[in-house]
Amino acid sequence: MSLQGKHILLGISGSIAAYKSATLTRLLIKKGAEVQIVITQAGKEFITPVTLSALSGRPVISQFFASDDGTWHSHVDLGLWADAMIVAPATASTIGKMANGIADNMLVTTYLSMKAAVFVAPAMDLDMYKHISTQRNIERLKSDGVRIIDPTEGELASHLEGKGRMEEPENIVAILEQFFASGNDLEKKKIMITAGPTYERIDPVRFIGNFSSGKMGFALAEESASRGAEVTLITGPTALSTSHPNIVRVDVESAIEMHAAALKIFPLMDVAILSAAVADYRPEQVADEKIKRSGKENLTLSLVSNPDIAASLGEIKKPEQLTIGFALETSNEEINAIKKIENKHFDYIVLNSLNDQGAGFAHDTNKVTILSRDGKKRSFPLKSKREVAKDIIDTALKPSTIDNEWLYL
Ligand code: CTP
């Protein structure tokens, strides 16, 4: 494997482990990459820009402007130039700033403009690493799609032993090579994803809805798009936004609208992932005017059933098309999920249980079991929704990579 011609943006923050950045730069260059270094003010206390520019063959950037001639260093251009960004070492402070968008230096500003995949290799003392604040920021970065390269255990700068040593440069390079080897593995795949809740109108100001946040569907869209897929995301009302240019977003409100959009788009797709929490029923009548209380003690709404989007797609599905459904069950979970595979003609179903803490609606994490049409299953621990998205995509679209990880039902 090589990194021939790859543009790597290396961010260095202020940690003792910055000495390893020199080796990392040298190894990246040896593998054929072009390396642009952005260093924080604190980073320069640990390693000099002279060493780093000699190794990378490029001036090292640390300010928004070059102080001698006023040249503006465009973080936007750097964001477009890079094929990957790696922050190594990443201190607790830099991780915190990245997780919260505090762009008070060139490194974090460049991160906010980054279009390519971002890797973060933390380096800090064990107490700082374990601290709830650091862990919260790392989790937030993970759910933003940043790939964390876990620190290793060993002797730390404080002479204490524990987890916090930055991963060795050789292993970081191997991770980057692996990423580029499988990086665009969904290129040209057309993937439709339904996400979020649907709102079923009662009158001009009220609706029937549910607690779906849309996070799982959006994570699936970002994961697929970052791997080169052309994604169409049909979403019910949510507060979420998409960032990847490969995602076309179609906003809908009700199950009927989502059904119409999905039926129109599906024939052009290779894959459909149905993660929306579609309302099973809608009010039979939508009142033109706001319904008044006017002394009524009881109000009865008559509901009619909504179309089943997944089942409709199942009927028009061609053999080469793949559909993946979701099931949220509270009892007889696997049996019910298997029934849905049959009824809705899914190839795979992702089962999440409301009995699992941290799984399901509104959480940033999820714990799933994936069942296949041909009677196999894979169960996963609690993970960020972005990592769950990766597991779902790998299981359904890259089955050869997980051949021996199935259990037979
Ligand atoms: N689904 C859909 N359209 C609907 C209802 C559900 O596309 N009108 C999809 C969901 O996006 C999900 C799967 O079908 O992928 C399972 O949804 P679920 O609500 O669990 O299934 P139901 O058929 O409604 O069964 P239940 O009786 O358990 O509610």
Side-chain angles (χ1 to χ4, degrees):
M1 280 190 281
S2 94
L3 294 170
Q4 195 58 45
K6 295 292 180 216
H7 293 174
I8 309 291
L9 196 130
L10 172 59
I12 300 175
S13 59
S15 151
I16 304 272
Y19 77 90
K20 292 185 183 175
S21 316
T23 312
L24 180 58
T25 307
R26 204 170 59 82
L27 292 175
L28 291 169
I29 296 276
K30 264 178 113 175
K31 291 277 182 182
E34 288 183 44
V35 180
Q36 175 61 60
I37 293 171
V38 176
I39 192 165
T40 63
Q41 210 50 35
K44 287 197 280 185
E45 305 287 339
F46 292 89
I47 186 160
T48 73
V50 178
T51 306
L52 296 167
S53 70
L55 289 169
S56 65
R58 287 169 171 263
V60 170
I61 299 174
S62 69
Q63 309 281 2
F64 294 100
F65 295 91
S67 50
D68 50 351
D69 63 3
T71 310
W72 183 51
H73 297 134
S74 166
H75 51 92
V76 178
D77 288 350
L78 289 172
L80 292 169
W81 173 84
D83 296 311
M85 176 176 187
I86 162 94
V87 184
T91 59
S93 163
T94 290
I95 289 171
K97 287 181 185 178
M98 288 172 71
N100 292 286
I102 301 171
D104 65 350
N105 64 32
M106 191 63 194
L107 194 160
V108 181
T109 309
T110 304
Y111 164 65
L112 294 187
S113 294
M114 190 51 54
K115 298 280 174 269
V118 179
F119 295 79
V120 162
M124 67 198 75
D125 211 58
L126 74 164
D127 291 330
M128 290 177 85
Y129 181 68
K130 272 198 301 211
H131 196 278
I132 188 161
S133 156
T134 308
Q135 288 303 316
R136 187 174 53 234
N137 288 327
I138 287 179
E139 283 312 310
R140 183 174 277 190
L141 285 182
K142 278 189 192 169
S143 58
D144 291 344
V146 171
R147 292 150 165 95
I148 304 293
I149 302 177
D150 278 343
T152 58
E153 305 236 357
E155 194 187 341
L156 302 165
S158 59
H159 302 299
L160 295 172
E161 290 271 333
K163 196 167 177 175
R165 283 173 65 91
M166 185 179 107
E167 179 57 278
E168 294 306 321
E170 291 76 8
N171 294 339
I172 294 178
V173 170
I175 290 167
L176 285 174
E177 285 180 307
Q178 187 61 43
F179 165 75
F180 283 113
S182 65
N184 259 3
D185 59 349
L186 301 181
E187 203 169 2
K188 303 222 157 59
K189 275 248 179 290
K190 294 189 167 56
I191 303 183
M192 178 182 99
I193 297 165
T194 67
T198 63
Y199 284 3
E200 310 300 327
R201 284 182 186 233
I202 299 170
D203 69 14
V205 295
R206 303 184 181 95
F207 61 86
I208 297 173
N210 60 63
F211 290 120
S212 168
S213 61
K215 285 179 179 169
M216 193 62 245
F218 277 62
L220 281 159
E222 294 287 342
E223 173 68 19
S224 310
S226 74
R227 290 164 67 168
E230 293 167 32
V231 178
T232 306
L233 176 65
I234 307 176
T235 176
T238 105
L240 302 176
S241 54
T242 51
S243 58
H244 202 287
N246 285 10
I247 303 174
V248 175
R249 175 172 172 160
V250 180
D251 284 287
V252 296
E253 184 180 280
S254 63
I256 298 241
E257 285 173 17
M258 190 177 274
H259 184 253
L263 279 186
K264 193 164 141 209
I265 293 162
F266 182 60
L268 309 169
M269 296 289 129
D270 302 305
V271 181
I273 309 179
L274 300 152
S275 70
V278 186
D280 284 330
Y281 295 93
R282 66 178 183 279
E284 189 171 20
Q285 306 273 338
V286 182
D288 292 336
E289 306 263 345
K290 186 175 167 218
I291 299 173
K292 293 270 183 213
R293 187 176 171 93
S294 38
K296 288 196 283 278
E297 261 323 299
N298 295 311
L299 175 70
T300 307
L301 286 176
S302 173
L303 303 180
V304 291
S305 83
N306 268 329
D308 188 324
I309 301 167
S312 303
L313 300 188
E315 279 162 27
I316 57 167
K317 181 180 168 191
K318 296 192 214 79
E320 65 277 13
Q321 287 179 305
L322 198 77
T323 57
I324 303 162
F326 276 73
L328 182 64
E329 304 290 346
T330 49
S331 61
N332 292 330
E333 299 167 350
E334 288 188 10
I335 293 171
N336 283 331
I338 290 166
K339 275 191 204 147
K340 273 176 200 157
I341 290 188
E342 276 314 312
N343 296 343
K344 306 194 188 204
H345 302 207
F346 290 138
D347 297 281
Y348 296 91
I349 196 154
V350 182
L351 169 62
N352 41 49
S353 162
L354 269 188
N355 301 328
D356 289 320
Q357 270 216 346
F361 287 172
H363 290 286
D364 288 325
T365 48
N366 207 357
K367 184 169 180 301
V368 304
T369 297
I370 303 176
L371 304 168
S372 77
R373 188 170 187 75
D374 54 0
K376 295 182 293 189
K377 78 166 179 179
R378 286 181 86 196
S379 296
F380 299 88
L382 191 69
K383 295 184 177 192
S384 77
K385 285 191 170 165
R386 181 62 185 260
E387 290 171 297
V388 174
K390 181 177 183 311
D391 288 335
I392 294 169
I393 299 282
D394 287 343
T395 304
L397 303 181
K398 299 272 134 195
S400 59
T401 60
I402 48 110
D403 255 356
N404 43 19
E405 295 173 28
W406 287 107
L407 282 177
Y408 287 83
L409 293 171

